[in-house]
Amino acid sequence: MSSQKIGIVGSGLIGRAWAMLFAAAGYRVCLYDILESQIVTALAELGQELRNLENKGTLRGELKAAEQLALISTTTELEQLVVDAAYIQECIPERVELKVNLYAQLDKVLQPQTIVGSSTSTFLPSRFTAGLKQKAQMLVAHPLNPPYFIPLVEIVPAPWTSDQAVQQTYDLMVSLGQRPVKLNREIEGFATNRIQYAILNEVWRLVAAGILNVLDVDRVLSQGLGLRYALLGALETAHLNAPGGVADYFQRFGGEMAKVSATYGPTPDVRDSEMLAKIAQQCEEIVPLQGLPQRRATRDAFLTKLAALKRQFE
Ligand code: NAI
């Protein structure tokens, strides 16, 4: 249990989730936003959310919902946010000019011990920290939505981020009960989106070629590969799938893998309107747009159960 101060910049969807994760681990959280109205709503909704989780028995950490809420304070002053902060998690909208501006502002007021991690899903850290005085303390700490239920955090350094900042962020994420990974250098898409896009591209090609419809191509993951991947990564899955382990697996199937891979074809333009309209129509037959909030809530409820099961597995 820590009493260190953590700053959160931006009190939207992801900022709130981080506030809950840090408060659950006993950190003092200071939530900052440029909009006073946004902060007021955020605090009210956080209180409600924490009570809901407590009632359902899925609240994280050892503190009660009211105790966790009491650890969260708010401000609209950047100077107040940075004072004595051990770490700041940035969660402002995904627009590079906003990030560049904010990091330049932070650079002027940041104390030497404070690390800043960005939640960005797409921008390399070098893109918004280049030229700053305190750039060695800045990096990306990318969560997956919903961070309260999905433990992965991708820690991505810029070329100038210090090893110490990377390690401290890693240790901090572990202290929250998250499961971080450290990339040794920045790369477009980090790791998650590189893998996710490879899957989406192939799913798209199979539907566009008329080989599977949306329901069935999703079934390949949700009723097949995804069940294994919910427990194990791709390489450990391969390791278990050949009598002699992973070396045996790639010796046996590597030739076939290369042959199939040569047939993938170019990256599809997924903005192509005709195909997109077809995919959207089929998806909406499965879950109508007005049913999305309910479907998300159901997914999150089951992710909690899956997370508990995974802890037993590990
Ligand atoms: P959001 O739009 O829900 O919230 C953004 C918040 O930032 C708003 O409350 C806004 O008032 C505030 N804000 C805007 N400019 C600000 C500034 N200069 N200083 C302080 N606050 C400011 O956005 P969301 O979805 O929470 O995303 C935040 C970040 O998290 C983005 O970088 C996004 O790429 C990343 N992310 C989002 C995921 C998602 O599924 N929504 C998943 C993983 C990462």
Side-chain angles (χ1 to χ4, degrees):
M1 208 49 82
S2 172
S3 62
Q4 278 181 313
K5 174 180 166 182
I6 304 293
I8 311 271
V9 182
S11 62
L13 180 74
I14 297 299
R16 292 174 201 190
W18 279 114
M20 286 163 58
L21 285 170
F22 281 108
Y27 290 94
R28 286 182 294 122
V29 177
C30 183
L31 191 55
Y32 161 83
D33 207 291
I34 40 171
L35 297 177
E36 174 77 40
S37 58
Q38 177 74 1
I39 282 273
V40 172
T41 319
L43 201 57
E45 289 183 5
L46 274 172
Q48 190 59 49
E49 182 64 14
L50 289 169
R51 283 189 292 277
N52 285 346
L53 289 165
E54 186 166 63
N55 290 340
K56 285 189 280 184
T58 50
L59 187 70
R60 287 174 64 150
E62 284 155 21
L63 300 172
K64 296 204 174 72
E67 292 169 325
Q68 296 189 18
L69 188 62
L71 286 170
I72 304 174
S73 63
T74 62
T75 182
T76 50
E77 304 292 329
L78 197 60
E79 288 73 14
Q80 199 180 327
L81 173 90
V82 297
V83 175
D84 295 334
Y87 177 84
I88 292 175
Q89 182 75 36
E90 172 269 305
C91 316
I92 69 167
E94 194 69 346
R95 290 193 8 225
V96 77
E97 73 282 7
L98 293 183
K99 307 252 185 213
V100 168
N101 263 333
L102 173 74
Y103 280 80
Q105 270 179 278
L106 277 171
D107 197 40
K108 294 194 192 117
V109 290
L110 210 58
Q111 295 177 340
Q113 84 286 354
T114 314
I115 297 167
V116 186
S118 173
S119 301
T120 181
S121 327
T122 48
F123 304 127
L124 299 183
S126 58
R127 201 144 163 221
F128 51 86
T129 64
L132 300 181
K133 227 171 40 240
Q134 318 222 50
K135 60 186 180 180
Q137 293 153 247
M138 298 170 177
L139 41 71
V140 163
H142 172 230
L144 263 65
N145 196 38
Y148 202 76
F149 303 111
I150 300 193
L152 181 70
V153 181
E154 292 182 287
I155 300 175
V156 187
W160 40 78
T161 308
S162 74
D163 292 346
Q164 194 196 354
V166 169
Q167 191 57 45
Q168 281 183 18
T169 307
Y170 186 92
D171 295 342
L172 183 68
M173 295 300 147
V174 170
S175 77
L176 301 183
Q178 297 301 85
R179 295 280 187 276
V181 295
K182 285 187 268 186
L183 276 66
N184 285 327
R185 65 172 174 85
E186 59 179 20
I187 182 167
E188 289 76 8
F190 314 144
T192 298
N193 277 333
R194 293 183 78 83
I195 294 169
Q196 176 162 244
Y197 295 158
I199 293 172
L200 282 172
N201 280 330
E202 186 51 16
V203 159
W204 186 280
R205 290 189 202 102
L206 288 168
V207 176
I211 293 166
L212 287 171
N213 63 19
V214 165
L215 188 69
D216 286 344
V217 87
D218 265 8
R219 193 167 278 174
V220 170
L221 282 164
S222 67
Q223 302 295 337
L225 289 173
L227 287 176
R228 290 182 187 149
Y229 289 165
L231 296 174
L232 305 172
L235 290 173
E236 194 183 345
T237 295
H239 195 44
L240 264 57
N241 275 359
V246 70
D248 185 21
Y249 180 92
F250 284 111
Q251 290 296 342
R252 280 172 195 249
F253 303 116
E256 183 62 15
M257 191 173 140
K259 246 194 274 167
V260 172
S261 301
T263 68
Y264 281 158
T267 304
D269 180 0
V270 295
R271 290 162 301 183
D272 164 54
S273 59
E274 228 174 272
M275 195 59 224
L276 184 55
K278 280 190 197 155
I279 289 183
Q281 190 197 346
Q282 289 185 47
C283 278
E284 285 168 36
E285 279 164 20
I286 301 166
V287 184
L289 293 181
Q290 68 273 19
L292 290 177
Q294 180 57 48
R295 187 75 171 147
R296 279 188 205 114
T298 308
R299 174 199 61 186
D300 291 352
F302 279 83
L303 274 175
T304 321
K305 297 185 194 184
L306 197 57
L309 206 58
K310 268 184 74 67
R311 276 195 293 278
Q312 283 177 34
F313 181 75
E314 282 164 9

